[in-house]
Amino acid sequence: MNALAATNRNFRLASRLLGLDSKLEKSLLIPFREIKVECTIPKDDGSLATFVGFRVQHDNARGPMKGGIRYHPEVEPDEVNALAQLMTWKTAVANIPYGGAKGGIGCDPAELSVSELERLTRVFTQKIHDLIGVQTDVPAPDMGTGPQTMAWILDEYSKFHGHSPAIVTGKPIDLGGSLGRDAATGRGVLFATEALLKEHGMVVSGQRFVIQGFGNVGAWAAQLISEKGGKVVAVSDITGAIKNNNGLDIPSLLKHSKEHRGVKGFQGGDPIDPKSILVEDCDVLIPAALGGVINRENANEIKAKFIVEAANHPTDPEADEILKKKGVAILPDIFANSGGVTVSYFEWVQNIQGFMWDEEKVNNELRTYMTRGFKDVKDMCKTHNCDLRMGAFTLAVNRVARATVLRGWEA
């Protein structure tokens, strides 16, 4: 089941639990606006190249739409649609005043020079600048984009609308980016994990963790978990996987990964088959890489008691059912990885106020939001007698539905 089908399925299950009528259900699913633009740029060799850019704006009942822009060869409308909808639910679970959006350009950033990427970003911004805005739709980085991409969007948008630092989040600090943003998703994963374990009378210290994916989110989660006394026994990335039953030395691994562009070859652990990473013996499994990695093929073999979804849509619905029967507690992606969008919200707030916070305030506010978010999800679980995923979805859908009805938008 692809991401869009799975998101729609979870939405419909939540909608039934809440007893929404079919008209309201339909209006919540249909995107507010879908944008498709042609972006033609001169390449460095003088030839012209044309790319297709997308922006799906899903819902703005609770506030401006929010979501990343990805540069990837397979930016596919269905996937962008699913991710935009997921952002609507994610911002609602986090209880920040946003709706969902997502966008991207079908290109391979590795095959474009820095100046070509800049030209492409500026042309894309020119095409959509009157459809995004500080109070309309606020983009952020995603796969294949980063702070520099946001800096180009900010500059190009400001040519049309005056200096507007709040038009994008995930910017460089020097242009109004927030302290703590880089670690935010990983730190949110730690706070979410702490809340989940506390519910079961446990703490992070002494638990054994396996982390699939050692990019920004996985690496920060590993570092912060090990600082709290958690034992990270196995990690993997695209280069390979390593394991040490006594716990990996995370500071050394981070240094190795930076120098060798991956975990492969790290001396402080034994190499293992990356395919086996999800079924390694541990207390907490953190998938922090791709979607759909936990499926009916491997769900029965998973030994973890808790799964914290740092990636988007890592568990497919069939695996969900298998794991539920095994008694595995799954903290869903729309809550577990919402630390990033929450600190993006803090960045937007700071830009609008023209007053920047120190890192300690950012981290303390994030802890407050994640802890309160977990309590809200648990309350919905009790109300509707459901698991954490449905608790999060019913919480999100209920908040968006109420805003929609209060605004008089229901069909």
Side-chain angles (χ1 to χ4, degrees):
M1 189 181 283
N2 68 16
L4 183 61
T7 307
N8 284 346
R9 174 184 179 273
N10 287 328
F11 166 77
R12 291 214 158 86
L13 288 170
S15 170
R16 295 217 180 95
L17 279 175
L18 292 164
L20 301 187
D21 70 50
S22 59
K23 282 183 182 173
L24 180 56
E25 186 178 292
K26 191 179 173 186
S27 77
L28 290 177
L29 265 190
I30 297 168
F32 169 75
R33 177 161 52 198
E34 294 185 32
I35 302 152
K36 189 175 179 182
V37 293
E38 181 185 67
C39 302
T40 302
I41 58 160
K43 295 194 77 178
D44 293 344
D45 63 7
S47 65
L48 291 176
T50 298
F51 303 91
V52 178
F54 299 94
R55 186 75 177 164
V56 174
Q57 298 173 329
H58 179 257
D59 190 278
N60 60 355
R62 300 181 66 255
M65 293 164 285
K66 185 94 193 73
I69 288 178
R70 55 176 53 187
Y71 288 2
H72 191 269
E74 290 157 24
V75 172
E76 203 261 321
D78 253 14
E79 188 186 23
V80 176
N81 233 312
L83 294 168
Q85 191 195 136
L86 208 55
M87 285 304 295
T88 296
W89 313 134
K90 193 177 290 188
T91 51
V93 169
N95 209 13
I96 53 180
Y98 285 144
K102 206 74 174 188
I105 300 175
C107 70
D108 185 350
E111 289 182 5
L112 296 172
S113 69
V114 173
S115 58
E116 287 167 344
L117 283 168
E118 179 177 352
R119 288 195 288 277
L120 181 57
T121 302
R122 289 182 183 277
V123 168
F124 184 51
T125 308
Q126 288 163 18
K127 295 284 178 98
I128 66 167
H129 76 89
D130 53 349
L131 299 168
I132 61 174
V134 173
Q135 300 293 344
T136 311
D137 178 3
V138 182
D142 200 299
M143 204 187 293
T145 59
Q148 181 59 70
T149 323
M150 298 304 107
W152 293 327
I153 295 174
L154 160 62
D155 183 66
E156 198 61 32
Y157 181 87
S158 296
K159 289 175 185 175
F160 296 95
H161 302 274
H163 183 57
S164 311
I167 183 55
V168 285
T169 58
K171 299 179 292 294
I173 302 290
D174 295 334
L175 288 176
S178 178
L179 295 169
R181 176 65 188 88
D182 190 43
T185 310
R187 194 176 295 277
V189 168
L190 168 72
F191 293 154
T193 305
E194 285 181 326
L196 177 64
L197 291 173
K198 189 180 176 187
E199 180 76 15
H200 292 81
M202 299 155 86
V203 292
V204 167
S205 182
Q207 303 301 326
R208 289 150 60 254
F209 291 80
V210 165
I211 301 176
Q212 184 205 32
F214 208 65
N216 173 281
V217 180
W220 272 111
Q223 181 179 330
L224 296 164
I225 284 164
S226 72
E227 284 171 8
K228 285 275 183 182
K231 197 188 279 188
V232 181
V233 294
V235 302
S236 71
D237 65 8
I238 49 169
T239 66
I242 43 157
K243 175 185 177 181
N244 183 332
N245 285 330
N246 298 317
L248 293 157
D249 179 348
I250 298 299
S252 301
L253 178 58
L254 289 165
K255 189 166 176 279
H256 172 91
S257 178
K258 205 171 181 181
E259 287 168 2
H260 298 87
R261 309 196 78 165
V263 301
K264 191 179 180 183
F266 179 62
Q267 296 301 305
D270 302 316
I272 57 168
D273 179 1
K275 290 195 181 91
S276 74
I277 189 86
L278 297 165
V279 299
E280 288 295 330
D281 192 17
C282 64
D283 301 306
V284 184
L285 172 63
I286 303 179
L290 300 167
V293 292
I294 299 173
N295 46 49
R296 66 179 174 196
E297 271 81 58
N298 57 16
N300 276 313
E301 259 112 275
I302 285 174
K303 299 174 184 74
K305 303 174 196 73
F306 303 96
I307 296 174
V308 179
E309 295 186 336
N312 281 327
H313 184 58
T315 315
D316 75 18
E318 288 174 318
D320 239 355
E321 290 303 315
I322 295 166
L323 292 163
K324 198 193 290 183
K325 284 179 188 142
K326 287 177 68 174
V328 178
I330 304 175
L331 203 53
D333 50 0
I334 62 166
F335 170 69
N337 67 24
S338 64
V341 73
T342 304
V343 174
S344 280
Y345 163 61
F346 298 163
E347 182 180 331
W348 181 75
V349 167
Q350 292 168 72
N351 294 153
I352 289 170
Q353 289 181 329
F355 181 80
M356 305 310 284
W357 304 350
D358 62 30
E359 193 164 352
E360 189 182 359
K361 179 172 169 65
V362 173
N363 294 342
N364 287 340
E365 290 287 344
L366 177 59
R367 180 186 285 279
T368 302
Y369 269 77
M370 296 299 294
T371 309
R372 190 170 57 210
F374 183 78
K375 183 186 175 297
D376 291 346
V377 170
K378 282 301 293 184
D379 287 348
M380 282 308 249
C381 292
K382 285 172 190 151
T383 303
H384 295 287
N385 190 25
C386 59
D387 62 10
L388 288 163
R389 191 180 308 284
M390 270 306 107
F393 264 90
T394 49
L395 176 65
V397 173
N398 191 43
R399 281 177 173 159
V400 178
R402 281 175 56 179
T404 303
V405 171
L406 285 167
R407 293 182 75 149
W409 290 358
E410 80 274 28

